[in-house]
Amino acid sequence: MTAANAPAILRDLHEQWRGAAAESDGGVLRACSMTLIAVAGIGDAAATRVLGAVVQQHPNRTVLVRLQKEGGIRARATIVCWMPHGSRRHVCSEQIEIACTAADFGEVLPLLRGLVAPDLPVSLWTPDAAPAASEWLRPAAEMAGKILTDSTPLPQRDAAAALRRLRRPGRLADLAWTRITRWRERIAQDAEPQDLQGDAEISYAGEGAPMPALYLAAWLETHGIQPVRLRCEDPAAPGGGMGRIRRVRIGGLTIHRIAPSVVVTRRRGVCWTSVFPQLDDAALLGEELGIPGADPAFETALEKLLERMP
Protein backbone atom coordinates (compact mmCIF):
# COMPACT_ATOMS: atom_id res chain seq x y z
CA MET A 1 0.00 0.00 0.00
CA THR A 2 1.09 3.55 -0.78
CA ALA A 3 0.55 6.51 1.53
CA ALA A 4 -2.80 8.06 0.61
CA ASN A 5 -1.44 11.33 -0.74
CA ALA A 6 -0.81 12.31 -4.34
CA PRO A 7 2.96 13.05 -4.11
CA ALA A 8 3.68 9.66 -2.54
CA ILE A 9 1.59 7.83 -5.13
CA LEU A 10 3.26 9.65 -8.01
CA ARG A 11 6.73 8.93 -6.57
CA ASP A 12 5.82 5.25 -6.33
CA LEU A 13 4.70 5.25 -9.97
CA HIS A 14 7.92 6.99 -11.03
CA GLU A 15 10.00 4.25 -9.42
CA GLN A 16 7.90 1.58 -11.10
CA TRP A 17 8.44 3.24 -14.49
CA ARG A 18 12.19 3.21 -13.93
CA GLY A 19 12.10 -0.47 -13.02
CA ALA A 20 9.95 -1.43 -16.01
CA ALA A 21 12.25 0.40 -18.42
CA ALA A 22 15.30 -1.33 -16.97
CA GLU A 23 13.74 -4.81 -17.23
CA SER A 24 12.29 -4.53 -20.76
CA ASP A 25 14.57 -5.51 -23.65
CA GLY A 26 12.44 -3.72 -26.23
CA GLY A 27 11.75 -0.64 -24.14
CA VAL A 28 8.54 0.66 -22.60
CA LEU A 29 6.08 3.05 -24.22
CA ARG A 30 4.27 5.17 -21.64
CA ALA A 31 0.71 5.71 -22.93
CA CYS A 32 -1.94 8.06 -21.52
CA SER A 33 -4.74 9.84 -23.37
CA MET A 34 -6.91 10.76 -20.36
CA THR A 35 -7.56 10.29 -16.66
CA LEU A 36 -10.36 7.78 -16.10
CA ILE A 37 -11.81 7.93 -12.58
CA ALA A 38 -13.95 4.90 -11.75
CA VAL A 39 -16.12 4.45 -8.64
CA ALA A 40 -17.19 0.89 -7.81
CA GLY A 41 -18.13 -1.33 -4.88
CA ILE A 42 -15.47 -3.18 -2.91
CA GLY A 43 -16.55 -6.55 -4.32
CA ASP A 44 -17.09 -5.39 -7.91
CA ALA A 45 -14.57 -7.59 -9.73
CA ALA A 46 -16.28 -6.81 -13.03
CA ALA A 47 -15.12 -3.18 -12.82
CA THR A 48 -11.49 -4.31 -12.67
CA ARG A 49 -11.93 -6.53 -15.73
CA VAL A 50 -13.64 -3.74 -17.67
CA LEU A 51 -10.93 -1.22 -16.84
CA GLY A 52 -8.20 -3.72 -17.77
CA ALA A 53 -9.75 -4.18 -21.21
CA VAL A 54 -10.54 -0.50 -21.81
CA VAL A 55 -6.99 0.67 -21.08
CA GLN A 56 -5.70 -1.20 -24.15
CA GLN A 57 -8.19 0.61 -26.37
CA HIS A 58 -7.92 4.00 -24.65
CA PRO A 59 -4.62 4.17 -22.71
CA ASN A 60 -5.25 6.20 -19.59
CA ARG A 61 -4.29 6.87 -16.00
CA THR A 62 -6.96 4.87 -14.20
CA VAL A 63 -7.98 5.92 -10.70
CA LEU A 64 -10.30 3.27 -9.29
CA VAL A 65 -12.11 4.27 -6.09
CA ARG A 66 -13.47 1.21 -4.30
CA LEU A 67 -16.20 1.94 -1.78
CA GLN A 68 -16.03 -0.10 1.41
CA LYS A 69 -18.25 -0.23 4.46
CA GLU A 70 -15.60 0.69 7.00
CA GLY A 71 -11.90 1.43 7.41
CA GLY A 72 -9.65 4.33 6.55
CA ILE A 73 -8.39 5.56 3.23
CA ARG A 74 -5.86 3.25 1.57
CA ALA A 75 -4.15 3.49 -1.81
CA ARG A 76 -1.91 1.46 -4.06
CA ALA A 77 -0.42 2.20 -7.46
CA THR A 78 0.88 0.02 -10.25
CA ILE A 79 1.66 0.15 -13.93
CA VAL A 80 -0.20 -2.15 -16.30
CA CYS A 81 1.67 -3.36 -19.40
CA TRP A 82 0.77 -5.25 -22.54
CA MET A 83 2.55 -6.01 -25.80
CA PRO A 84 0.58 -5.23 -28.97
CA HIS A 85 0.59 -7.91 -31.63
CA GLY A 86 3.69 -7.67 -33.81
CA SER A 87 5.52 -5.35 -31.43
CA ARG A 88 8.57 -5.98 -29.24
CA ARG A 89 7.87 -2.99 -27.05
CA HIS A 90 5.60 -3.04 -24.03
CA VAL A 91 2.88 -0.40 -23.81
CA CYS A 92 2.14 0.62 -20.24
CA SER A 93 -0.38 2.75 -18.38
CA GLU A 94 -0.91 3.62 -14.74
CA GLN A 95 -3.56 2.27 -12.40
CA ILE A 96 -4.22 3.68 -8.94
CA GLU A 97 -6.68 2.03 -6.56
CA ILE A 98 -8.10 3.89 -3.57
CA ALA A 99 -10.29 2.25 -0.91
CA CYS A 100 -12.57 4.41 1.20
CA THR A 101 -16.10 4.70 2.55
CA ALA A 102 -18.72 6.94 0.99
CA ALA A 103 -18.50 9.10 4.13
CA ASP A 104 -14.75 9.56 3.55
CA PHE A 105 -15.14 10.41 -0.12
CA GLY A 106 -14.88 14.13 0.59
CA GLU A 107 -11.35 13.54 1.93
CA VAL A 108 -10.48 11.63 -1.24
CA LEU A 109 -11.44 14.50 -3.57
CA PRO A 110 -8.18 16.48 -3.03
CA LEU A 111 -6.31 13.24 -3.71
CA LEU A 112 -8.19 12.75 -6.99
CA ARG A 113 -7.41 16.31 -8.05
CA GLY A 114 -3.72 15.72 -7.36
CA LEU A 115 -3.71 12.52 -9.43
CA VAL A 116 -5.31 13.92 -12.59
CA ALA A 117 -2.87 13.69 -15.51
CA PRO A 118 -1.95 17.27 -16.51
CA ASP A 119 -3.46 18.80 -19.66
CA LEU A 120 -5.54 15.70 -20.51
CA PRO A 121 -9.33 15.07 -20.42
CA VAL A 122 -10.95 13.62 -17.30
CA SER A 123 -13.77 11.06 -17.48
CA LEU A 124 -15.79 9.60 -14.61
CA TRP A 125 -17.26 6.10 -14.90
CA THR A 126 -19.68 4.60 -12.40
CA PRO A 127 -21.05 1.17 -13.39
CA ASP A 128 -24.30 1.76 -11.49
CA ALA A 129 -26.34 4.93 -12.05
CA ALA A 130 -27.97 4.89 -8.60
CA PRO A 131 -24.88 5.65 -6.45
CA ALA A 132 -23.57 7.78 -9.32
CA ALA A 133 -26.34 10.27 -8.63
CA SER A 134 -25.55 10.47 -4.90
CA GLU A 135 -24.82 13.91 -3.52
CA TRP A 136 -21.38 12.91 -2.20
CA LEU A 137 -20.21 12.09 -5.73
CA ARG A 138 -21.28 15.44 -7.22
CA PRO A 139 -17.87 17.17 -6.74
CA ALA A 140 -16.14 14.33 -8.62
CA ALA A 141 -18.70 14.63 -11.41
CA GLU A 142 -17.91 18.34 -11.67
CA MET A 143 -14.25 17.44 -12.27
CA ALA A 144 -15.08 15.33 -15.30
CA GLY A 145 -15.55 16.45 -18.86
CA LYS A 146 -17.49 13.23 -19.45
CA ILE A 147 -19.65 11.23 -17.02
CA LEU A 148 -20.35 7.63 -17.96
CA THR A 149 -22.86 5.39 -16.23
CA ASP A 150 -25.31 2.58 -16.94
CA SER A 151 -29.01 2.86 -16.12
CA THR A 152 -29.77 -0.59 -17.59
CA PRO A 153 -30.14 -2.47 -14.27
CA LEU A 154 -32.42 0.12 -12.64
CA PRO A 155 -36.23 0.26 -12.49
CA GLN A 156 -37.71 3.12 -14.51
CA ARG A 157 -38.39 5.45 -11.57
CA ASP A 158 -34.89 5.01 -10.10
CA ALA A 159 -33.26 5.37 -13.51
CA ALA A 160 -35.15 8.59 -14.22
CA ALA A 161 -34.15 10.08 -10.85
CA ALA A 162 -30.51 9.13 -11.34
CA LEU A 163 -30.31 10.48 -14.91
CA ARG A 164 -31.91 13.77 -13.91
CA ARG A 165 -29.33 14.29 -11.18
CA LEU A 166 -26.39 13.19 -13.33
CA ARG A 167 -27.41 15.10 -16.41
CA ARG A 168 -24.90 17.70 -17.61
CA PRO A 169 -25.36 19.19 -21.10
CA GLY A 170 -22.93 17.51 -23.45
CA ARG A 171 -21.22 15.52 -20.69
CA LEU A 172 -23.42 12.54 -19.73
CA ALA A 173 -23.21 9.15 -21.46
CA ASP A 174 -25.40 6.16 -20.59
CA LEU A 175 -24.39 2.64 -21.66
CA ALA A 176 -28.11 1.79 -21.85
CA TRP A 177 -28.15 4.12 -24.88
CA THR A 178 -24.95 2.59 -26.30
CA ARG A 179 -26.63 -0.83 -26.21
CA ILE A 180 -29.10 0.24 -28.92
CA THR A 181 -26.47 1.52 -31.37
CA ARG A 182 -26.77 -1.60 -33.55
CA TRP A 183 -30.58 -1.29 -33.57
CA ARG A 184 -30.38 2.35 -34.61
CA GLU A 185 -27.87 1.56 -37.34
CA ARG A 186 -30.07 -1.24 -38.68
CA ILE A 187 -33.16 1.00 -38.71
CA ALA A 188 -31.31 3.90 -40.34
CA GLN A 189 -30.01 1.59 -43.07
CA ASP A 190 -33.17 -0.43 -43.79
CA ALA A 191 -36.10 1.91 -43.11
CA GLU A 192 -37.73 3.59 -46.10
CA PRO A 193 -39.39 7.03 -45.91
CA GLN A 194 -42.88 5.52 -45.76
CA ASP A 195 -41.88 3.37 -42.76
CA LEU A 196 -41.01 6.52 -40.80
CA GLN A 197 -44.46 8.02 -41.32
CA GLY A 198 -46.40 5.39 -39.38
CA ASP A 199 -46.43 3.91 -35.91
CA ALA A 200 -43.95 1.54 -34.28
CA GLU A 201 -43.82 -1.26 -31.73
CA ILE A 202 -40.90 -2.51 -29.66
CA SER A 203 -41.22 -5.90 -27.99
CA TYR A 204 -38.92 -7.13 -25.25
CA ALA A 205 -38.31 -10.07 -22.91
CA GLY A 206 -38.32 -9.97 -19.11
CA GLU A 207 -40.52 -8.07 -16.69
CA GLY A 208 -40.65 -4.30 -16.90
CA ALA A 209 -39.67 -2.26 -19.94
CA PRO A 210 -35.84 -2.15 -20.09
CA MET A 211 -34.01 1.15 -20.36
CA PRO A 212 -32.55 0.36 -23.82
CA ALA A 213 -36.10 -0.18 -25.14
CA LEU A 214 -37.19 3.13 -23.62
CA TYR A 215 -34.26 4.89 -25.23
CA LEU A 216 -35.08 3.31 -28.60
CA ALA A 217 -38.71 4.42 -28.30
CA ALA A 218 -37.61 7.96 -27.45
CA TRP A 219 -35.19 8.00 -30.40
CA LEU A 220 -37.94 6.88 -32.79
CA GLU A 221 -40.24 9.59 -31.43
CA THR A 222 -37.58 12.23 -32.10
CA HIS A 223 -37.83 11.16 -35.75
CA GLY A 224 -41.56 11.86 -35.81
CA ILE A 225 -42.77 8.27 -35.42
CA GLN A 226 -46.01 8.20 -33.39
CA PRO A 227 -47.14 6.30 -31.47
CA VAL A 228 -44.35 3.99 -30.31
CA ARG A 229 -45.76 1.12 -28.26
CA LEU A 230 -43.77 -1.09 -25.90
CA ARG A 231 -44.87 -4.70 -25.43
CA CYS A 232 -43.58 -7.56 -23.30
CA GLU A 233 -43.21 -10.51 -25.65
CA ASP A 234 -41.91 -12.98 -23.06
CA PRO A 235 -41.93 -12.50 -19.25
CA ALA A 236 -38.88 -14.78 -18.91
CA ALA A 237 -35.52 -13.01 -18.82
CA PRO A 238 -33.37 -13.79 -21.89
CA GLY A 239 -30.20 -15.82 -21.77
CA GLY A 240 -26.73 -14.32 -21.63
CA GLY A 241 -25.74 -12.15 -24.57
CA MET A 242 -29.25 -12.05 -26.03
CA GLY A 243 -30.33 -8.59 -24.93
CA ARG A 244 -33.90 -7.82 -23.88
CA ILE A 245 -35.10 -6.11 -27.05
CA ARG A 246 -36.50 -8.85 -29.28
CA ARG A 247 -38.34 -7.18 -32.12
CA VAL A 248 -38.88 -3.72 -33.62
CA ARG A 249 -41.62 -2.96 -36.13
CA ILE A 250 -41.69 0.39 -37.90
CA GLY A 251 -44.37 0.71 -40.54
CA GLY A 252 -43.87 -2.22 -42.89
CA LEU A 253 -40.36 -2.99 -41.61
CA THR A 254 -39.73 -5.64 -38.92
CA ILE A 255 -36.35 -6.36 -37.34
CA HIS A 256 -36.29 -9.51 -35.21
CA ARG A 257 -33.37 -10.64 -33.07
CA ILE A 258 -33.46 -14.43 -33.18
CA ALA A 259 -30.07 -15.16 -31.58
CA PRO A 260 -27.44 -13.16 -29.68
CA SER A 261 -25.61 -12.22 -32.90
CA VAL A 262 -28.34 -12.71 -35.53
CA VAL A 263 -31.17 -10.41 -36.61
CA VAL A 264 -33.67 -11.05 -39.39
CA THR A 265 -35.17 -8.08 -41.24
CA ARG A 266 -38.45 -8.41 -43.18
CA ARG A 267 -40.26 -6.08 -45.54
CA ARG A 268 -43.08 -6.98 -47.93
CA GLY A 269 -42.29 -10.70 -47.93
CA VAL A 270 -38.54 -10.25 -48.41
CA CYS A 271 -36.17 -11.08 -45.55
CA TRP A 272 -32.44 -10.86 -44.97
CA THR A 273 -30.09 -11.67 -42.13
CA SER A 274 -27.56 -9.41 -40.41
CA VAL A 275 -25.01 -9.83 -37.66
CA PHE A 276 -25.23 -8.00 -34.33
CA PRO A 277 -21.79 -8.05 -32.67
CA GLN A 278 -21.97 -9.02 -29.00
CA LEU A 279 -20.52 -6.17 -26.96
CA ASP A 280 -19.61 -6.52 -23.30
CA ASP A 281 -19.36 -3.63 -20.84
CA ALA A 282 -15.72 -2.99 -21.77
CA ALA A 283 -16.59 -2.64 -25.46
CA LEU A 284 -19.54 -0.38 -24.67
CA LEU A 285 -17.47 1.82 -22.37
CA GLY A 286 -14.67 1.99 -24.93
CA GLU A 287 -17.17 3.00 -27.61
CA GLU A 288 -18.46 5.89 -25.50
CA LEU A 289 -14.96 7.04 -24.53
CA GLY A 290 -14.19 7.25 -28.23
CA ILE A 291 -16.95 9.83 -28.83
CA PRO A 292 -15.49 13.33 -28.40
CA GLY A 293 -17.81 16.04 -27.16
CA ALA A 294 -21.59 15.85 -27.07
CA ASP A 295 -23.75 13.25 -28.81
CA PRO A 296 -26.72 15.26 -30.17
CA ALA A 297 -28.80 12.14 -30.88
CA PHE A 298 -28.41 10.98 -27.27
CA GLU A 299 -29.12 14.43 -25.85
CA THR A 300 -32.38 14.70 -27.82
CA ALA A 301 -33.48 11.16 -26.98
CA LEU A 302 -32.65 11.64 -23.28
CA GLU A 303 -34.79 14.78 -23.13
CA LYS A 304 -37.69 12.91 -24.75
CA LEU A 305 -37.15 9.92 -22.45
CA LEU A 306 -37.22 12.00 -19.27
CA GLU A 307 -40.41 13.74 -20.42
CA ARG A 308 -42.28 10.44 -20.49
CA MET A 309 -40.79 8.90 -17.32
CA PRO A 310 -42.16 9.43 -13.80
Side-chain angles (χ1 to χ4, degrees), residues 12-21 24 27-32 47-64 76-84 89-97:
D12 187 4
L13 286 170
H14 179 71
E15 291 302 316
Q16 292 188 48
W17 280 115
R18 290 181 58 185
S24 176
V28 171
L29 177 62
R30 186 173 183 171
C32 184
T48 302
R49 292 194 298 270
V50 169
L51 293 169
V54 166
V55 74
Q56 298 188 36
Q57 184 179 354
H58 299 281
N60 63 78
R61 174 180 287 176
T62 301
V63 184
L64 172 58
R76 63 179 179 181
T78 187
I79 58 174
V80 179
C81 300
W82 65 97
M83 186 175 288
R89 176 186 290 187
H90 282 94
V91 178
C92 301
S93 289
E94 301 164 338
Q95 185 176 79
I96 301 159
E97 185 168 327

Side-chain angles (χ1 to χ4, degrees), residues 71-281:
I73 300 171
R74 303 187 304 277
R76 63 179 179 181
T78 187
I79 58 174
V80 179
C81 300
W82 65 97
M83 186 175 288
H85 180 70
S87 173
R88 295 184 63 247
R89 176 186 290 187
H90 282 94
V91 178
C92 301
S93 289
E94 301 164 338
Q95 185 176 79
I96 301 159
E97 185 168 327
I98 302 168
C100 70
T101 65
D104 290 334
F105 194 80
E107 298 180 38
V108 172
L109 285 169
L111 179 58
L112 292 179
R113 295 188 178 99
L115 293 174
V116 167
D119 303 320
L120 290 175
V122 178
S123 296
L124 172 68
W125 173 54
T126 55
D128 188 341
S134 300
E135 187 63 30
W136 54 263
L137 196 61
R138 183 183 295 273
E142 297 301 334
M143 292 171 53
K146 190 158 194 173
I147 304 165
L148 305 107
T149 191
D150 190 356
S151 66
T152 305
L154 298 179
Q156 288 188 33
R157 187 176 296 275
D158 294 343
L163 291 171
R164 288 189 178 103
R165 294 195 65 178
L166 281 172
R167 191 179 184 188
R168 307 287 191 282
R171 293 168 56 196
L172 176 63
D174 187 352
L175 298 193
W177 164 263
T178 320
R179 295 175 197 279
I180 65 168
T181 298
R182 266 48 60 181
W183 288 98
R184 293 189 297 116
E185 290 174 343
R186 189 81 271 145
I187 292 167
Q189 181 172 330
D190 294 335
E192 295 181 346
Q194 58 267 34
D195 296 322
L196 304 178
Q197 296 173 7
D199 63 344
E201 182 178 86
I202 301 170
S203 65
Y204 57 88
E207 294 185 1
M211 286 300 296
L214 294 171
Y215 268 119
L216 187 55
W219 178 73
L220 291 173
E221 289 178 349
T222 65
H223 286 74
I225 299 173
Q226 292 283 354
V228 180
R229 291 179 291 273
L230 291 138
R231 179 175 66 88
C232 180
E233 183 175 295
D234 184 350
M242 186 63 183
R244 292 186 60 191
I245 299 177
R246 288 285 181 85
R247 192 188 317 261
V248 178
R249 181 194 57 76
I250 308 169
L253 176 74
T254 300
I255 304 171
H256 183 197
R257 190 173 188 176
I258 62 172
S261 298
V262 181
V263 294
V264 175
T265 306
R266 294 181 175 85
R267 182 194 290 116
R268 292 191 293 272
V270 179
C271 68
W272 57 97
T273 303
S274 307
V275 173
F276 264 20
Q278 293 190 62
L279 302 180
D280 58 13
D281 285 350

